Amino acid sequence: MRLYVLCFATGVWWLQMQPQLPSPRWYWLAAPLAFMALPAARLSPRPSSIGQRVFVAACCVACGFLWAAWFAGQRLADALPESWEGEDIQLVGAVAAMPQPYERSLRFEFDVERVLTPDAVVPAHIALSWWGSPARDGKPATFPELRAGERWQLTVRLRRPHGTLNPHGFDYEAWLLERNLRATGYVRPGSGNRRIADLVVRPQYLIERIRAAVRSRIRSTLADAPYAGVLAALAIGDQRAIPQPQWQVFTRTGVNHLMSISGLHVTMISGLAFALAYYLWRRSARLTLRLPARKAAAVAGLAAALAYAWLAGFAVPAQRTVYMLAVVAIALWMGRLTSASVVLSAALFAVLVIDPWAVLAPGFWLSFGAVALILLVSTGRIMQPHWLTVWARVQWAVTLGLVPLLLAMFQQISLVSPLANAIAIPLVSLVVVPLTLIGVMLPFDLVLQLAHAVMELCGGLLEWMSTLPAAVWQQHAPPAWTVVAALAGVLWLLLPYGFPARWIGMAALLPLFLVRPLLLAEGDLKLTVLDVGQGLAVVAQTRNHALLYDAGPAFGPQVDSGNRIIVPYLRASGVRALTGMVVSHDDIDHSGGANSVLQAVPVGWLLSSLPDAHPLPAQAASAQRCETGRHWQWDGVAFELLHPTRDNYAREKFRGNDRSCVVRISTAGASVLLTSDIESKSERELLVAVPDKLRAQVLLVPHHGSRTSSSPEFVQQVNPDIAIVAAGYRNRFGHPKDNVLDRYRELGSRIYRTDRDGALLIAISRDGAVGVQRYRALYRRYWHAPSAKSGSLDDDAEEERAM
């Protein structure tokens, strides 16, 4: 069974790697393949029946592939037509989940019941934002009052799923697909929005009401207590309640798995329910005669696990645990013992049948991987060692065994994780979680306050450990073959004592750390225009140096393109430090992520046109103004500032956009012009001051393709072979403008756009050869829908809020 479940999982994973779905005519093969595979698997062929095993394994791979394809086809069919993007649509439906408040909006899922707008087609399940009044003058922000299960009539504007797409970045479109959110949008203000019913009676809505009540109970009791958000996450899986600085502490100490509804918590709650039911049931002879106490306790434990998992949102770790407990409960009920590996295989099969997209989530691999490692080192031993020896062996196995996966997914591992987990696991799982769940059910506050006090003590210890100089190991993203070799090495290292040459496993781990990205050749340039939505961030790399030009937008008080997109890309690419950073001007879509970059990555110097009172230069080791004439050379590649001049700073009426730092980068045979948000006034100055330096093979189109820039004379002078537009999908400014793009088309320029192409990877050799790779084409998946024309809807921040 175990082999065949793994083959089914392989088929599911293989489908998720496809650029497009197979033709529906292939789906009919799944049923006959399953009918052929099941009888053959039940025959339990002997090891000599290799051919039969291979046949059954191949059938299982095909069944997994076709099952996932059919599932995906059904979900993708429920789509928003392109013609209805950005149009006002009137709907009637129910608030499907507990609304999530943000700085200026309330975000919620909505089940569409009726579409009132004639001829409009809307998916059945969508995600909406309802904007309120921001906090100002000491008054808190105000939002519409929404509760799960309410029926509303709303006027909305929608768009199809779309998110930024970058190397080693978060795939927002896959996240939406897994959650069956087939359109996103916002509620239009107006009197047409009204509540129709206070509660639509459905089980899922009632559960969401309970979750909301628990969240309100925690908030009312703990108010602004520092770890109130952690208790909410432990009780109902509301991970957004945890502030970003605390997440950084939990990540650096390797205990972030404990701050959500982990399998450990579900198992603990189930175990407590089992023990309590077993104890009480045995006290009644009448009940015991009717049903053995062990069977009754198994039902109670499973019911408690299921209730807690549903209360917590039923994430993959909770699903895995519930399915494993269900198999154990069935085995106890039927009086048939089942091996731990069979239980894990059954849980894996159940997760993938219900949610084929689970294989895309890091939590899936870490959750099943950790349990598999625990089973590897703690079961099947002839002699049962001391419990302390078992605990140490499990800690060692999980810490070592997850290293390849953590480096592949996050490019970092916590070196203090064993110590941090040794402290946090008993405190959080055995003390904080039970006290929190008991506290939310009791009418007095003491128990919840006690849970917070214990969590605060634990959090203080974790904060101290996170500040240790060697708390975290960070590195580049390892090549795939080194990850496979490392996993094989881990398994070999963890074999029981007595197996020969286990040290070979450690040797197999070395390439994971030692194989580094290839350095560029002397005189070559690598340019990456990151997809940050409506904003700009460009990374320029030479053989031994790296420059960040602008840092993208901020999405909220603690979330920006610096910590969500730029820093992960730099780390995965092997850029440990930036020699320099240029922040072209003060607009939030260009400077919003700069502070996060300065805090996370060593930066040699900062050049900017920011005002003197701006706080950002004070964060840098060395900060100076952008001024014409500054130039430097790295590894045979020349950099020069063409704008602004010193006089531009003295002119009060000179707009911030026109003070944007303009940088020219030149190899021996080609050049790049980075123009940020300059407008026609600055373009005219450049045409007068440095006309001979404007010709460039690659041009970053000024001001995202706005009509106030790219004047005909400037475009003619630059005459780029490649024109790059950095703009957000369906941004509210309508960038880039069609008449601006026409000017570049008339010159024969090839136009690339981050809103349609994702990140753009540009390689320029010293002899002038220029190559461009579009990340949406390079990393094409079947759920990445073709992009539409620019419109007026701006939801770029939704992706970052989901992370």
Side-chain angles (χ1 to χ4, degrees):
M1 172 188 174
R2 288 156 291 199
L3 172 64
Y4 304 139
V5 169
L6 288 176
C7 289
F8 181 86
T10 301
V12 172
W13 172 83
W14 185 24
L15 185 278
Q16 308 306 344
M17 299 298 106
Q18 299 305 304
Q20 60 185 19
L21 292 177
S23 172
R25 67 174 180 267
W26 292 103
Y27 297 167
W28 66 269
L29 285 175
L33 285 172
F35 280 119
M36 287 188 292
L38 287 175
R42 288 178 63 87
L43 290 176
S44 299
R46 295 176 179 175
S48 58
S49 306
I50 297 176
Q52 189 176 8
R53 290 197 174 203
V54 170
F55 171 76
V56 175
C59 287
C60 290
V61 172
C63 285
F65 183 89
L66 294 173
W67 169 255
W70 177 83
F71 215 98
Q74 297 298 307
R75 187 159 291 185
L76 290 178
D78 188 21
L80 177 73
E82 180 181 337
S83 59
W84 283 101
E85 284 192 292
E87 300 292 332
D88 285 356
I89 304 174
Q90 200 169 56
L91 307 172
V92 172
V95 179
M98 184 175 61
Q100 294 288 340
Y102 290 93
E103 183 185 15
R104 293 182 53 198
S105 67
L106 202 65
R107 190 168 185 265
F108 59 99
E109 297 178 16
F110 194 70
D111 284 337
V112 178
E113 297 173 338
R114 282 185 296 143
V115 181
L116 303 182
T117 302
D119 301 324
V121 177
V122 177
H125 193 58
I126 61 178
L128 295 173
S129 296
W130 198 333
W131 295 87
S133 301
R136 57 168 63 117
D137 299 328
K139 297 181 180 179
T142 59
F143 304 108
E145 293 186 5
L146 289 178
R147 291 188 300 169
E150 293 179 338
R151 178 175 284 127
W152 280 79
Q153 178 178 308
L154 301 173
T155 301
V156 303
R157 283 189 179 178
L158 301 174
R159 72 173 185 178
R160 295 177 300 164
H162 189 95
T164 60
L165 203 60
N166 297 281
H168 312 289
F170 175 65
D171 191 338
Y172 179 55
E173 294 170 47
W175 185 88
L176 289 173
L177 181 65
E178 182 182 7
R179 285 152 184 80
N180 196 24
L181 296 170
R182 301 304 304 133
T184 63
Y186 61 90
V187 178
R188 295 277 288 161
S191 58
N193 302 321
R194 60 190 180 91
R195 184 186 290 108
I196 298 175
D198 290 334
L199 178 62
V200 179
V201 181
R202 293 179 188 169
Q204 64 267 34
Y205 299 159
L206 295 176
I207 291 173
E208 290 298 324
R209 280 286 180 98
I210 295 171
R211 296 182 71 211
V214 171
R215 182 173 67 178
S216 297
R217 174 85 172 89
I218 293 173
R219 287 180 175 177
S220 63
T221 301
L222 300 175
D224 297 327
Y227 289 93
V230 174
L231 298 193
L234 293 173
I236 59 172
D238 186 13
Q239 296 184 27
R240 295 184 183 91
I242 301 179
Q244 187 65 26
Q246 289 182 2
W247 268 125
Q248 292 176 354
V249 170
F250 300 150
T251 300
R252 287 181 61 83
T253 53
V255 301
N256 46 328
H257 65 98
L258 289 175
M259 304 309 160
S260 57
I261 308 301
S262 69
L264 183 62
H265 303 333
V266 176
T267 304
M268 183 270 300
I269 294 297
S270 177
L272 289 177
F274 180 95
L276 181 61
Y278 187 69
Y279 174 81
L280 294 176
W281 199 271
R282 291 185 63 189
R283 293 295 173 272
S284 171
R286 181 180 176 185
L287 291 176
T288 305
L289 290 173
R290 293 176 65 92
L291 182 67
R294 192 178 298 274
K295 291 186 177 182
V299 173
L302 180 60
L306 186 59
Y308 183 38
W310 275 115
L311 182 66
F314 216 53
V316 168
Q319 290 180 40
R320 183 259 304 159
T321 306
V322 168
Y323 299 147
M324 289 179 65
L325 292 172
V327 174
V328 173
I330 292 170
L332 285 174
W333 188 274
M334 299 178 63
R336 297 179 60 183
L337 295 177
T338 303
S339 71
S341 59
V342 170
V343 171
L344 184 62
S345 299
L348 174 63
F349 181 74
V351 167
L352 294 181
V353 166
I354 296 172
D355 181 11
W357 296 281
V359 295
L360 300 175
F364 170 86
W365 297 95
L366 297 176
S367 176
F368 278 99
V371 176
L373 289 166
I374 292 171
L375 296 181
L376 177 65
V377 299
S378 61
T379 61
R381 299 299 192 266
I382 297 175
M383 296 182 61
Q384 186 64 30
H386 190 271
W387 68 267
L388 189 59
T389 303
V390 174
W391 176 84
R393 185 179 296 165
V394 167
Q395 284 289 322
W396 162 252
V398 173
T399 301
L400 179 67
L402 295 184
V403 164
L405 293 178
L406 290 170
L407 288 180
M409 296 173 183
F410 307 112
Q411 294 81 55
Q412 64 179 20
I413 51 175
S414 173
L415 300 181
V416 298
S417 174
L419 176 61
N421 277 282
I423 296 172
I425 286 176
L427 283 177
V428 174
S429 295
L430 300 179
V431 181
V432 176
V433 171
L435 288 177
T436 300
L437 294 178
I438 294 171
V440 297
M441 293 185 290
L442 295 177
F444 49 87
D445 300 339
L446 179 61
V447 178
L448 267 179
Q449 291 170 348
L450 181 59
H452 183 272
V454 176
M455 188 63 236
E456 193 169 19
L457 172 64
C458 181
L461 294 172
L462 295 174
E463 287 182 22
W464 172 77
M465 282 186 275
S466 73
T467 60
L468 296 176
V472 177
W473 169 269
Q474 296 181 341
Q475 67 163 65
H476 61 282
W481 71 267
T482 65
V483 176
V484 175
L487 288 172
V490 165
L491 294 178
W492 190 263
L493 272 171
L494 296 179
L495 289 173
Y497 293 110
F499 275 85
R502 288 193 303 141
W503 60 267
I504 295 176
M506 189 62 71
L509 280 167
L510 294 179
L512 193 71
F513 302 94
L514 300 180
V515 177
R516 299 188 53 79
L518 293 176
L519 293 175
L520 295 173
E522 187 78 12
D524 286 358
L525 173 68
K526 177 184 176 182
L527 204 70
T528 305
V529 182
L530 294 170
D531 181 10
V532 294
Q534 184 62 20
L536 178 65
V538 181
V539 179
Q541 293 175 255
T542 65
R543 181 175 177 85
N544 298 303
H545 299 273
L547 172 77
L548 176 64
Y549 180 84
D550 279 344
F555 306 112
Q558 299 173 345
V559 180
D560 55 57
S561 53
N563 53 34
R564 286 294 188 244
I565 298 174
I566 299 170
V567 171
Y569 170 77
L570 293 175
R571 183 188 304 133
S573 301
V575 178
R576 297 188 175 183
L578 291 168
T579 308
M581 181 164 71
V582 176
V583 177
S584 65
H585 63 299
D586 197 20
D587 281 0
I588 196 67
D589 59 329
H590 293 253
S591 62
N595 191 53
S596 293
V597 175
L598 288 170
Q599 291 179 357
V601 180
V603 178
W605 46 257
L606 171 69
L607 289 176
S608 74
S609 64
L610 300 173
D612 294 335
H614 199 284
L616 191 61
Q619 305 297 321
S622 173
Q624 297 182 17
R625 274 184 169 178
C626 291
E627 285 187 12
T628 301
R630 290 189 184 276
H631 60 89
W632 63 94
Q633 191 171 68
W634 292 338
D635 308 315
V637 179
F639 296 75
E640 183 178 4
L641 277 165
L642 304 184
H643 186 76
T645 64
R646 184 173 299 178
D647 293 340
N648 293 147
Y649 292 101
R651 295 162 63 181
E652 294 183 1
K653 295 185 179 180
F654 213 67
R655 295 181 59 185
N657 282 352
D658 277 315
R659 288 198 185 99
S660 295
C661 307
V662 177
V663 177
R664 175 186 170 90
I665 309 176
S666 303
T667 68
S671 60
V672 178
L673 198 62
L674 305 178
T675 59
S676 189
D677 276 359
I678 62 169
E679 299 186 355
S680 55
K681 181 186 293 186
S682 295
E683 291 175 354
R684 288 194 296 270
E685 288 193 3
L686 287 167
L687 285 169
V688 172
V690 287
D692 56 321
K693 295 182 179 180
L694 296 183
R695 171 72 177 107
Q697 282 67 38
V698 179
L699 170 68
L700 186 68
V701 172
H703 201 184
H704 318 288
S706 165
R707 64 167 57 96
T708 61
S709 304
S710 294
S711 59
E713 298 82 7
F714 180 80
V715 173
Q716 190 73 35
Q717 184 65 30
V718 178
N719 192 23
D721 299 325
I722 295 169
I724 296 174
V725 180
Y729 178 71
R730 298 188 61 82
N731 63 85
R732 66 179 181 272
F733 308 105
H735 295 157
K737 299 298 183 180
D738 288 338
N739 62 329
V740 171
L741 296 180
D742 288 340
R743 295 171 194 166
Y744 293 99
R745 293 191 185 101
E746 290 170 1
L747 293 175
S749 302
R750 286 180 289 157
I751 299 174
Y752 296 90
R753 299 169 49 169
T754 57
D755 58 339
R756 297 185 178 183
D757 301 322
L760 296 165
L761 316 177
I762 306 166
I764 304 176
S765 64
R766 63 178 302 161
D767 60 8
V770 180
V772 181
Q773 287 185 310
R774 299 171 297 150
Y775 193 66
R776 277 196 177 270
L778 196 64
Y779 177 74
R780 176 71 178 157
R781 296 294 184 266
Y782 66 83
W783 57 81
H784 293 152
S787 298
K789 293 182 179 179
S790 296
S792 60
L793 190 65
D794 186 18
D795 282 334
D796 292 323
E798 283 190 9
E799 172 186 359
E800 315 311 326
R801 293 167 181 159
M803 295 172 60

mmCIF file with all atom_site columns, all heavy atoms in Angstrom, residues 276-287:
data_model
loop_
_atom_site.group_PDB
_atom_site.id
_atom_site.type_symbol
_atom_site.label_atom_id
_atom_site.label_alt_id
_atom_site.label_comp_id
_atom_site.label_asym_id
_atom_site.label_entity_id
_atom_site.label_seq_id
_atom_site.pdbx_PDB_ins_code
_atom_site.Cartn_x
_atom_site.Cartn_y
_atom_site.Cartn_z
_atom_site.occupancy
_atom_site.B_iso_or_equiv
_atom_site.pdbx_formal_charge
_atom_site.auth_seq_id
_atom_site.auth_comp_id
_atom_site.auth_asym_id
_atom_site.auth_atom_id
_atom_site.pdbx_PDB_model_num
ATOM 1   N N   . LEU A 1 276 ? -9.636  11.270 28.928 1.00 0.00 ? 276 LEU A N   1
ATOM 2   C CA  . LEU A 1 276 ? -10.782 11.626 29.761 1.00 0.00 ? 276 LEU A CA  1
ATOM 3   C C   . LEU A 1 276 ? -11.972 10.687 29.505 1.00 0.00 ? 276 LEU A C   1
ATOM 4   O O   . LEU A 1 276 ? -12.611 10.204 30.459 1.00 0.00 ? 276 LEU A O   1
ATOM 5   C CB  . LEU A 1 276 ? -11.175 13.079 29.488 1.00 0.00 ? 276 LEU A CB  1
ATOM 6   C CG  . LEU A 1 276 ? -12.349 13.620 30.317 1.00 0.00 ? 276 LEU A CG  1
ATOM 7   C CD1 . LEU A 1 276 ? -12.018 13.578 31.802 1.00 0.00 ? 276 LEU A CD1 1
ATOM 8   C CD2 . LEU A 1 276 ? -12.685 15.051 29.877 1.00 0.00 ? 276 LEU A CD2 1
ATOM 9   N N   . ALA A 1 277 ? -12.262 10.426 28.228 1.00 0.00 ? 277 ALA A N   1
ATOM 10  C CA  . ALA A 1 277 ? -13.384 9.533  27.902 1.00 0.00 ? 277 ALA A CA  1
ATOM 11  C C   . ALA A 1 277 ? -13.127 8.119  28.403 1.00 0.00 ? 277 ALA A C   1
ATOM 12  O O   . ALA A 1 277 ? -14.040 7.459  28.927 1.00 0.00 ? 277 ALA A O   1
ATOM 13  C CB  . ALA A 1 277 ? -13.609 9.529  26.382 1.00 0.00 ? 277 ALA A CB  1
ATOM 14  N N   . TYR A 1 278 ? -11.912 7.658  28.267 1.00 0.00 ? 278 TYR A N   1
ATOM 15  C CA  . TYR A 1 278 ? -11.575 6.306  28.731 1.00 0.00 ? 278 TYR A CA  1
ATOM 16  C C   . TYR A 1 278 ? -11.746 6.185  30.247 1.00 0.00 ? 278 TYR A C   1
ATOM 17  O O   . TYR A 1 278 ? -12.298 5.189  30.761 1.00 0.00 ? 278 TYR A O   1
ATOM 18  C CB  . TYR A 1 278 ? -10.136 5.992  28.327 1.00 0.00 ? 278 TYR A CB  1
ATOM 19  C CG  . TYR A 1 278 ? -9.699  4.572  28.600 1.00 0.00 ? 278 TYR A CG  1
ATOM 20  C CD1 . TYR A 1 278 ? -10.227 3.508  27.866 1.00 0.00 ? 278 TYR A CD1 1
ATOM 21  C CD2 . TYR A 1 278 ? -8.759  4.296  29.592 1.00 0.00 ? 278 TYR A CD2 1
ATOM 22  C CE1 . TYR A 1 278 ? -9.825  2.202  28.117 1.00 0.00 ? 278 TYR A CE1 1
ATOM 23  C CE2 . TYR A 1 278 ? -8.348  3.005  29.850 1.00 0.00 ? 278 TYR A CE2 1
ATOM 24  C CZ  . TYR A 1 278 ? -8.888  1.952  29.110 1.00 0.00 ? 278 TYR A CZ  1
ATOM 25  O OH  . TYR A 1 278 ? -8.496  0.655  29.367 1.00 0.00 ? 278 TYR A OH  1
ATOM 26  N N   . TYR A 1 279 ? -11.285 7.237  30.944 1.00 0.00 ? 279 TYR A N   1
ATOM 27  C CA  . TYR A 1 279 ? -11.392 7.227  32.408 1.00 0.00 ? 279 TYR A CA  1
ATOM 28  C C   . TYR A 1 279 ? -12.853 7.232  32.856 1.00 0.00 ? 279 TYR A C   1
ATOM 29  O O   . TYR A 1 279 ? -13.258 6.443  33.727 1.00 0.00 ? 279 TYR A O   1
ATOM 30  C CB  . TYR A 1 279 ? -10.652 8.440  32.964 1.00 0.00 ? 279 TYR A CB  1
ATOM 31  C CG  . TYR A 1 279 ? -10.813 8.623  34.458 1.00 0.00 ? 279 TYR A CG  1
ATOM 32  C CD1 . TYR A 1 279 ? -10.049 7.885  35.361 1.00 0.00 ? 279 TYR A CD1 1
ATOM 33  C CD2 . TYR A 1 279 ? -11.736 9.540  34.955 1.00 0.00 ? 279 TYR A CD2 1
ATOM 34  C CE1 . TYR A 1 279 ? -10.208 8.043  36.726 1.00 0.00 ? 279 TYR A CE1 1
ATOM 35  C CE2 . TYR A 1 279 ? -11.905 9.707  36.322 1.00 0.00 ? 279 TYR A CE2 1
ATOM 36  C CZ  . TYR A 1 279 ? -11.138 8.956  37.206 1.00 0.00 ? 279 TYR A CZ  1
ATOM 37  O OH  . TYR A 1 279 ? -11.308 9.116  38.557 1.00 0.00 ? 279 TYR A OH  1
ATOM 38  N N   . LEU A 1 280 ? -13.673 8.101  32.266 1.00 0.00 ? 280 LEU A N   1
ATOM 39  C CA  . LEU A 1 280 ? -15.071 8.215  32.682 1.00 0.00 ? 280 LEU A CA  1
ATOM 40  C C   . LEU A 1 280 ? -15.895 6.990  32.249 1.00 0.00 ? 280 LEU A C   1
ATOM 41  O O   . LEU A 1 280 ? -16.762 6.521  32.995 1.00 0.00 ? 280 LEU A O   1
ATOM 42  C CB  . LEU A 1 280 ? -15.678 9.491  32.090 1.00 0.00 ? 280 LEU A CB  1
ATOM 43  C CG  . LEU A 1 280 ? -15.092 10.814 32.606 1.00 0.00 ? 280 LEU A CG  1
ATOM 44  C CD1 . LEU A 1 280 ? -15.714 11.990 31.876 1.00 0.00 ? 280 LEU A CD1 1
ATOM 45  C CD2 . LEU A 1 280 ? -15.286 10.951 34.117 1.00 0.00 ? 280 LEU A CD2 1
ATOM 46  N N   . TRP A 1 281 ? -15.627 6.484  31.048 1.00 0.00 ? 281 TRP A N   1
ATOM 47  C CA  . TRP A 1 281 ? -16.421 5.358  30.531 1.00 0.00 ? 281 TRP A CA  1
ATOM 48  C C   . TRP A 1 281 ? -16.225 4.108  31.396 1.00 0.00 ? 281 TRP A C   1
ATOM 49  O O   . TRP A 1 281 ? -17.179 3.366  31.654 1.00 0.00 ? 281 TRP A O   1
ATOM 50  C CB  . TRP A 1 281 ? -16.020 5.081  29.081 1.00 0.00 ? 281 TRP A CB  1
ATOM 51  C CG  . TRP A 1 281 ? -17.028 4.285  28.302 1.00 0.00 ? 281 TRP A CG  1
ATOM 52  C CD1 . TRP A 1 281 ? -17.127 2.945  28.195 1.00 0.00 ? 281 TRP A CD1 1
ATOM 53  C CD2 . TRP A 1 281 ? -18.112 4.819  27.517 1.00 0.00 ? 281 TRP A CD2 1
ATOM 54  N NE1 . TRP A 1 281 ? -18.177 2.578  27.393 1.00 0.00 ? 281 TRP A NE1 1
ATOM 55  C CE2 . TRP A 1 281 ? -18.800 3.727  26.953 1.00 0.00 ? 281 TRP A CE2 1
ATOM 56  C CE3 . TRP A 1 281 ? -18.546 6.112  27.223 1.00 0.00 ? 281 TRP A CE3 1
ATOM 57  C CZ2 . TRP A 1 281 ? -19.906 3.885  26.114 1.00 0.00 ? 281 TRP A CZ2 1
ATOM 58  C CZ3 . TRP A 1 281 ? -19.630 6.268  26.394 1.00 0.00 ? 281 TRP A CZ3 1
ATOM 59  C CH2 . TRP A 1 281 ? -20.309 5.161  25.853 1.00 0.00 ? 281 TRP A CH2 1
ATOM 60  N N   . ARG A 1 282 ? -14.980 3.922  31.834 1.00 0.00 ? 282 ARG A N   1
ATOM 61  C CA  . ARG A 1 282 ? -14.695 2.735  32.653 1.00 0.00 ? 282 ARG A CA  1
ATOM 62  C C   . ARG A 1 282 ? -15.364 2.804  34.017 1.00 0.00 ? 282 ARG A C   1
ATOM 63  O O   . ARG A 1 282 ? -15.505 1.784  34.697 1.00 0.00 ? 282 ARG A O   1
ATOM 64  C CB  . ARG A 1 282 ? -13.195 2.582  32.840 1.00 0.00 ? 282 ARG A CB  1
ATOM 65  C CG  . ARG A 1 282 ? -12.451 2.204  31.561 1.00 0.00 ? 282 ARG A CG  1
ATOM 66  C CD  . ARG A 1 282 ? -10.992 1.961  31.833 1.00 0.00 ? 282 ARG A CD  1
ATOM 67  N NE  . ARG A 1 282 ? -10.805 0.836  32.745 1.00 0.00 ? 282 ARG A NE  1
ATOM 68  C CZ  . ARG A 1 282 ? -9.628  0.510  33.300 1.00 0.00 ? 282 ARG A CZ  1
ATOM 69  N NH1 . ARG A 1 282 ? -8.564  1.247  33.035 1.00 0.00 ? 282 ARG A NH1 1
ATOM 70  N NH2 . ARG A 1 282 ? -9.528  -0.525 34.104 1.00 0.00 ? 282 ARG A NH2 1
ATOM 71  N N   . ARG A 1 283 ? -15.793 3.972  34.452 1.00 0.00 ? 283 ARG A N   1
ATOM 72  C CA  . ARG A 1 283 ? -16.455 4.105  35.751 1.00 0.00 ? 283 ARG A CA  1
ATOM 73  C C   . ARG A 1 283 ? -17.882 3.575  35.717 1.00 0.00 ? 283 ARG A C   1
ATOM 74  O O   . ARG A 1 283 ? -18.510 3.417  36.765 1.00 0.00 ? 283 ARG A O   1
ATOM 75  C CB  . ARG A 1 283 ? -16.472 5.580  36.186 1.00 0.00 ? 283 ARG A CB  1
ATOM 76  C CG  . ARG A 1 283 ? -15.082 6.132  36.498 1.00 0.00 ? 283 ARG A CG  1
ATOM 77  C CD  . ARG A 1 283 ? -14.490 5.409  37.715 1.00 0.00 ? 283 ARG A CD  1
ATOM 78  N NE  . ARG A 1 283 ? -13.113 5.770  37.981 1.00 0.00 ? 283 ARG A NE  1
ATOM 79  C CZ  . ARG A 1 283 ? -12.049 5.196  37.472 1.00 0.00 ? 283 ARG A CZ  1
ATOM 80  N NH1 . ARG A 1 283 ? -12.192 4.211  36.598 1.00 0.00 ? 283 ARG A NH1 1
ATOM 81  N NH2 . ARG A 1 283 ? -10.849 5.574  37.821 1.00 0.00 ? 283 ARG A NH2 1
ATOM 82  N N   . SER A 1 284 ? -18.409 3.323  34.519 1.00 0.00 ? 284 SER A N   1
ATOM 83  C CA  . SER A 1 284 ? -19.786 2.825  34.394 1.00 0.00 ? 284 SER A CA  1
ATOM 84  C C   . SER A 1 284 ? -19.761 1.405  33.839 1.00 0.00 ? 284 SER A C   1
ATOM 85  O O   . SER A 1 284 ? -19.374 1.181  32.687 1.00 0.00 ? 284 SER A O   1
ATOM 86  C CB  . SER A 1 284 ? -20.604 3.742  33.476 1.00 0.00 ? 284 SER A CB  1
ATOM 87  O OG  . SER A 1 284 ? -21.861 3.170  33.195 1.00 0.00 ? 284 SER A OG  1
ATOM 88  N N   . ALA A 1 285 ? -20.170 0.435  34.672 1.00 0.00 ? 285 ALA A N   1
ATOM 89  C CA  . ALA A 1 285 ? -20.213 -0.959 34.211 1.00 0.00 ? 285 ALA A CA  1
ATOM 90  C C   . ALA A 1 285 ? -21.234 -1.128 33.093 1.00 0.00 ? 285 ALA A C   1
ATOM 91  O O   . ALA A 1 285 ? -21.030 -1.897 32.140 1.00 0.00 ? 285 ALA A O   1
ATOM 92  C CB  . ALA A 1 285 ? -20.555 -1.881 35.386 1.00 0.00 ? 285 ALA A CB  1
ATOM 93  N N   . ARG A 1 286 ? -22.326 -0.398 33.199 1.00 0.00 ? 286 ARG A N   1
ATOM 94  C CA  . ARG A 1 286 ? -23.386 -0.500 32.180 1.00 0.00 ? 286 ARG A CA  1
ATOM 95  C C   . ARG A 1 286 ? -22.880 -0.054 30.820 1.00 0.00 ? 286 ARG A C   1
ATOM 96  O O   . ARG A 1 286 ? -23.104 -0.727 29.802 1.00 0.00 ? 286 ARG A O   1
ATOM 97  C CB  . ARG A 1 286 ? -24.571 0.342  32.616 1.00 0.00 ? 286 ARG A CB  1
ATOM 98  C CG  . ARG A 1 286 ? -25.747 0.304  31.669 1.00 0.00 ? 286 ARG A CG  1
ATOM 99  C CD  . ARG A 1 286 ? -26.866 1.173  32.208 1.00 0.00 ? 286 ARG A CD  1
ATOM 100 N NE  . ARG A 1 286 ? -27.973 1.231  31.276 1.00 0.00 ? 286 ARG A NE  1
ATOM 101 C CZ  . ARG A 1 286 ? -29.048 1.995  31.461 1.00 0.00 ? 286 ARG A CZ  1
ATOM 102 N NH1 . ARG A 1 286 ? -29.150 2.753  32.551 1.00 0.00 ? 286 ARG A NH1 1
ATOM 103 N NH2 . ARG A 1 286 ? -30.019 1.997  30.571 1.00 0.00 ? 286 ARG A NH2 1
ATOM 104 N N   . LEU A 1 287 ? -22.177 1.083  30.786 1.00 0.00 ? 287 LEU A N   1
ATOM 105 C CA  . LEU A 1 287 ? -21.658 1.580  29.516 1.00 0.00 ? 287 LEU A CA  1
ATOM 106 C C   . LEU A 1 287 ? -20.576 0.655  28.968 1.00 0.00 ? 287 LEU A C   1
ATOM 107 O O   . LEU A 1 287 ? -20.503 0.403  27.765 1.00 0.00 ? 287 LEU A O   1
ATOM 108 C CB  . LEU A 1 287 ? -21.094 2.999  29.696 1.00 0.00 ? 287 LEU A CB  1
ATOM 109 C CG  . LEU A 1 287 ? -22.122 4.100  29.982 1.00 0.00 ? 287 LEU A CG  1
ATOM 110 C CD1 . LEU A 1 287 ? -21.407 5.427  30.227 1.00 0.00 ? 287 LEU A CD1 1
ATOM 111 C CD2 . LEU A 1 287 ? -23.097 4.238  28.805 1.00 0.00 ? 287 LEU A CD2 1
#
